[in-house]
Amino acid sequence: MTRPGPTAGQRQEILDRTRTVAVVGASDNPSRASYFVATYLLASTDYEVWFVNPRVEEILGRPVYPSLADCPGVPDLVDVFRRPADLPGVLDETIAVGARTFWLQLGLSDDALAERGEAAGLDVVMDRCLKIEHARFHGGLHLAGFDTGVITSRRRPRR
């Protein structure tokens, strides 16, 4: 069974206190989820975004760092787009650089890693998309995928 992880309110607090995001496994391929999330973060948030991928030099006109240790500072949040087998190493790097949050994208979860991250003092979010969660709490989530500026659960009347 998968751990419940932070509540919606706790996830919102994490996002509200975040200033810097390192996207580990960032891709320069526009069809990849990490590229889509990167474009959203750059266009729709005030976060300083750093891309981490040892095989790429530039994404969206920005430098790409080969590891978390090579980033220009300590990221508040590490957003992970890597294979499950790579996650323990990414967690080790996240702990080593002193980040506060270890965030695993949709489809990624590992209870043992979550326990290890939490024991090291990290907030751990698993199987959640950073873009979706940010948009959810900041008025940018809509069925058509664009910003309506409205957060509500009330259904609109049919016309």
Side-chain angles (χ1 to χ4, degrees), residues 26-55:
S27 174
D28 58 353
N29 180 344
S31 67
R32 302 295 296 247
S34 64
Y35 188 93
F36 181 72
V37 169
T39 59
Y40 172 84
L41 292 175
L42 293 174
S44 301
T45 73
D46 292 329
Y47 298 150
E48 184 171 348
V49 181
W50 302 323
F51 302 124
V52 178
N53 185 329
R55 296 184 186 103

Side-chain angles (χ1 to χ4, degrees), residues 1-35:
M1 181 164 178
T2 303
R3 301 164 56 92
T7 65
Q10 291 166 329
R11 290 191 308 275
Q12 184 174 13
E13 288 175 17
I14 290 168
L15 296 176
D16 288 346
R17 74 168 184 243
T18 295
R19 299 290 171 257
T20 54
V21 174
V23 181
V24 175
S27 174
D28 58 353
N29 180 344
S31 67
R32 302 295 296 247
S34 64
Y35 188 93

Side-chain angles (χ1 to χ4, degrees), residues 110-155:
D110 184 315
D111 291 346
L113 277 181
E115 289 176 18
R116 194 158 63 89
E118 289 168 355
L122 295 173
D123 289 314
V124 178
V125 179
M126 301 186 299
D127 196 24
R128 298 232 177 231
C129 176
L130 183 60
K131 182 255 183 248
I132 292 170
E133 292 296 300
H134 184 275
R136 171 184 184 192
F137 298 125
H138 295 92
L141 191 60
H142 184 269
L143 291 176
F146 54 85
D147 184 356
T148 64
V150 177
I151 300 176
T152 181
S153 62
R154 178 178 280 167
R155 291 184 182 257

Side-chain angles (χ1 to χ4, degrees), residues 74-138:
V74 176
D76 294 317
L77 188 150
V78 176
D79 188 18
V80 184
F81 291 87
R82 296 291 305 269
R83 295 179 299 219
D86 297 334
L87 298 180
V90 178
L91 176 60
D92 291 340
E93 278 191 82
T94 301
I95 294 167
V97 299
R100 290 184 70 178
T101 304
F102 184 64
W103 190 294
L104 300 179
Q105 278 294 324
L106 290 172
L108 296 176
S109 67
D110 184 315
D111 291 346
L113 277 181
E115 289 176 18
R116 194 158 63 89
E118 289 168 355
L122 295 173
D123 289 314
V124 178
V125 179
M126 301 186 299
D127 196 24
R128 298 232 177 231
C129 176
L130 183 60
K131 182 255 183 248
I132 292 170
E133 292 296 300
H134 184 275
R136 171 184 184 192
F137 298 125
H138 295 92

